[in-house]
Amino acid sequence: MSHLGPLRRGAWAALLHQLLRPPRAVCTRAVGCHSQVAEAVLTSQLKPHQEKPNFIIKVPKGTRDLNPQQMVVREKILDEIISCFKRHGAKGLDTPAFELTEMLTEKYEDNFGLRYDLKDQGGELLSLRYDLTVPFARYLAMNKLKKMKRYQVGKVWRRESPAIVQGRYREFCQCDFDIAGEFDPMIPDAECLKIMCEILSGLQLGDFLIKVNDRRVVDGMFAVCGVPESKFRTICSSMDKLDKMSWEDVRHEMVVKKGLAPEVADRIGEYAQCHGGISLVEEMSKDPNLSQSQLALQGLADLKLLFEYLTLFGIAEKISFDLSLARGLDYYTGVIYEAVLLSSPDQAATEALNVGSVAAGGRYDGLVAQFDPKGHNVPCVGLSIGVERIFFLMEQKMKAEILYKNNPKLLTQLHYCEKTGIPLMVIIGEQEQKEGVLKLRSVASREEVTINREILVAEIQKRLSES
């Protein structure tokens, strides 16, 4: 480049910069475009400071956040459950939060509308898992496993109307224990019921009852009552709602919404009111109508054997043979069970609180074969602990606090309650101690009532349920 002359290094740089620099505005339109871009950038930078979001910041309906204090309670529950599972020899397992939709489509039938389906993702139709049982069956079939005792803890999703005050959510955690493989009849089933009793006793939730039935008894009952076989599953799904709805409402659903003949529904209702122990199992085995079904007799024979094992385990008094129990999920094939809490220890076992089940499960002997290309079967039985419902109950029991301060002033304690969101305050001073009473104060309204000590729990529960 000597022919360009002896330019200094800085001059060369300046010359190259001029040559390579893009032209300024080639037209007035281009100038306008640049100014619009600059204005748009400036506006986008200013918007976050000038405008508030036009939506309400909240968690989706049927879900919730758990703060650190709540996590302490939740972890206490999970520790109790998982330690029991491990004590009984189960190994941990985890599966994806979503499965191929085709894997789930025929497994829930009457409940398929409650499933969360996702958009097409790379050519795969996916759905959030509805429970942990179907993924476990898929895992067994995919890995050609014939025996396994496993536990799993994870979230599942159901698109239903949530009832937050009863611990029912659209996203919730389940803790499952399952035994897969060929074993002598009713021994694994009895162990599952033993585990449920150990967990519920360990969590100190109060008195409880485990309802037991058999899907073969349910189907046999439907057959002798005159239910068309094509309606077995959908009528079973209706009967499964008896823990949440009255018989009159369930009957209305069967007759009006599902087209069942009224006299058939009435015959079902007669059986659905029967509950008891092993004596009822023997009585139903001799029932002139029910005994016409070989399927029902097979189920009753297994239930009789089950009660013998439960007696040996020392938990027979916690178990009730209940013909109203159906378990609406379609994959159950044999013994089914569901645990409910009782209103108080001194009340009869039939007076269960209408709060839904806190644990449930059953036998599903045909589910693994539905995933296996050759139809190889692996008998399975298991249980699921309802963590959210238990958490709701334990949270209420563990909500009380005391201020760690020597002789704290009443006003200081009131301010603490207001700051932390504690709704009720119990005041026990010298005068209250002498009179054997106490004062219950609403933190929000500052109203006080004097009540006897023995009704404190009932009064707090009443007020919390109304809030």
Side-chain angles (χ1 to χ4, degrees):
M1 286 188 174
S2 59
H3 62 281
L4 291 178
L7 294 174
R8 290 178 299 172
R9 182 176 299 175
W12 277 113
L15 176 61
L16 286 172
H17 177 73
Q18 291 294 329
L19 292 172
L20 295 176
R21 187 175 63 179
R24 292 180 182 268
V26 296
C27 67
T28 55
R29 182 181 175 190
V31 175
C33 291
H34 284 300
S35 64
Q36 288 173 7
V37 170
E39 183 180 356
V41 171
L42 182 60
T43 305
S44 67
Q45 292 175 343
L46 291 175
K47 272 186 178 179
H49 305 286
Q50 293 177 344
E51 298 180 8
K52 293 183 178 179
N54 59 356
F55 57 87
I56 299 173
I57 301 177
K58 68 180 190 71
V59 296
K61 185 179 180 182
T63 67
R64 64 171 169 175
D65 295 321
L66 294 178
N67 62 41
Q69 291 79 15
Q70 291 172 315
M71 284 302 298
V72 172
V73 180
R74 191 182 193 86
E75 287 168 0
K76 175 182 172 65
I77 296 170
L78 293 177
D79 287 346
E80 181 73 34
I81 295 171
I82 293 172
S83 63
C84 182
F85 289 164
K86 289 182 177 180
R87 208 163 50 237
H88 284 263
K91 306 298 182 183
L93 178 71
D94 193 23
T95 58
F98 46 80
E99 297 275 345
L100 295 173
T101 300
E102 61 186 330
M103 296 284 186
L104 309 179
T105 300
E106 297 179 0
K107 310 303 183 293
Y108 307 109
E109 288 197 20
D110 209 52
N111 298 295
F112 79 95
L114 303 181
R115 191 183 64 216
Y116 275 105
D117 293 330
L118 307 178
K119 289 185 178 181
D120 188 338
Q121 300 291 326
E124 291 185 336
L125 295 178
L126 308 173
S127 300
L128 293 176
R129 62 190 179 197
Y130 186 88
D131 61 18
L132 300 178
T133 306
V134 170
F136 176 55
R138 187 264 306 153
Y139 176 84
L140 290 172
M142 193 174 77
N143 293 279
K144 296 180 173 54
L145 299 174
K146 300 300 182 184
K147 281 190 177 181
M148 188 177 187
K149 184 183 280 190
R150 84 87 163 86
Y151 77 87
Q152 183 173 354
V153 177
K155 288 186 175 181
V156 299
W157 293 265
R158 297 184 185 178
R159 195 177 61 195
E160 57 186 348
S161 298
I164 307 302
V165 295
Q166 294 181 340
R168 294 192 181 98
Y169 295 84
R170 287 177 168 175
E171 177 191 72
F172 55 96
C173 179
Q174 283 189 335
C175 295
D176 280 23
F177 172 97
D178 291 82
I179 302 173
E182 291 276 2
F183 300 97
D184 287 345
M186 295 297 104
I187 295 179
D189 310 67
E191 183 178 16
C192 287
L193 291 168
K194 172 66 172 168
I195 288 170
M196 287 175 71
C197 285
E198 287 182 11
I199 290 173
L200 295 177
S201 298
L203 291 172
Q204 300 179 356
L205 298 172
D207 203 11
F208 61 89
L209 180 73
I210 302 176
K211 301 177 183 180
V212 171
N213 200 356
D214 192 294
R215 282 297 280 268
R216 293 166 293 179
V217 175
V218 174
D219 287 352
M221 177 183 69
F222 286 164
V224 301
C225 287
V227 179
E229 190 171 349
S230 61
K231 290 184 180 291
F232 274 20
R233 295 284 72 85
T234 187
I235 296 302
C236 184
S237 177
S238 294
M239 202 166 84
D240 189 47
K241 298 175 183 176
L242 281 170
D243 66 330
K244 311 177 191 74
M245 299 163 53
S246 66
W247 166 248
E248 289 73 22
D249 291 335
V250 170
R251 181 187 183 278
H252 179 269
E253 180 176 298
M254 288 179 174
V255 174
V256 177
K257 295 184 179 180
K258 299 189 175 179
L260 192 65
E263 62 274 13
V264 174
D266 291 336
R267 285 195 284 270
I268 293 173
E270 292 176 7
Y271 282 110
Q273 298 177 49
C274 297
H275 45 80
I278 192 170
S279 59
L280 180 61
V281 176
E282 295 170 344
E283 181 184 334
M284 288 295 108
S285 300
K286 300 172 184 176
D287 181 83
N289 294 318
L290 198 57
S291 60
Q292 294 177 17
S293 168
Q294 289 300 313
L295 198 63
L297 289 176
Q298 291 172 14
L300 290 166
D302 275 351
L303 284 172
K304 184 178 179 181
L305 179 60
L306 176 65
F307 267 95
E308 292 176 7
Y309 286 125
L310 298 177
T311 301
L312 293 173
F313 280 150
I315 58 172
E317 74 281 355
K318 292 291 186 182
I319 315 297
S320 172
F321 173 40
D322 194 320
L323 273 80
S324 70
L325 182 64
R327 300 296 296 147
L329 292 173
D330 302 295
Y331 48 66
Y332 288 118
T333 58
V335 171
I336 50 177
Y337 31 84
E338 190 171 274
V340 295
L341 300 182
L342 303 181
S343 42
S344 66
D346 58 340
Q347 287 181 304
T350 56
E351 296 179 41
L353 281 171
N354 186 28
V355 296
S357 64
V358 292
R363 177 161 288 279
Y364 51 102
D365 284 346
L367 187 56
V368 177
Q370 296 182 35
F371 292 106
D372 192 287
K374 296 182 180 180
H376 291 158
N377 197 33
V378 179
C380 297
V381 65
L383 65 97
S384 181
I385 305 294
V387 176
E388 307 303 338
R389 182 61 194 146
I390 292 173
F391 175 79
F392 173 80
L393 295 167
M394 288 192 69
E395 191 180 24
Q396 303 305 310
K397 291 176 65 175
M398 301 175 73
K399 205 161 188 177
E401 290 188 48
I402 187 168
L403 208 59
Y404 296 112
K405 197 171 183 179
N406 187 26
N407 295 324
K409 294 181 180 179
L410 181 61
L411 188 60
T412 302
Q413 297 182 69
L414 276 171
H415 286 164
Y416 177 78
C417 291
E418 290 173 348
K419 181 181 178 181
T420 56
I422 296 174
L424 298 171
M425 186 176 191
V426 179
I427 302 171
I428 310 175
E430 292 182 2
Q431 189 63 32
E432 285 79 17
Q433 285 183 320
K434 288 179 183 177
E435 297 177 3
V437 297
L438 47 81
K439 289 180 181 177
L440 184 62
R441 182 184 180 112
S442 170
V443 175
S445 66
R446 304 204 173 184
E447 290 183 11
E448 285 183 3
V449 292
T450 301
I451 60 174
N452 294 325
R453 292 191 177 197
E454 55 267 22
I455 67 168
L456 174 63
V457 174
E459 184 65 23
I460 290 176
Q461 289 176 337
K462 177 185 173 184
R463 293 188 178 220
L464 289 175
S465 65
E466 293 172 349
S467 60

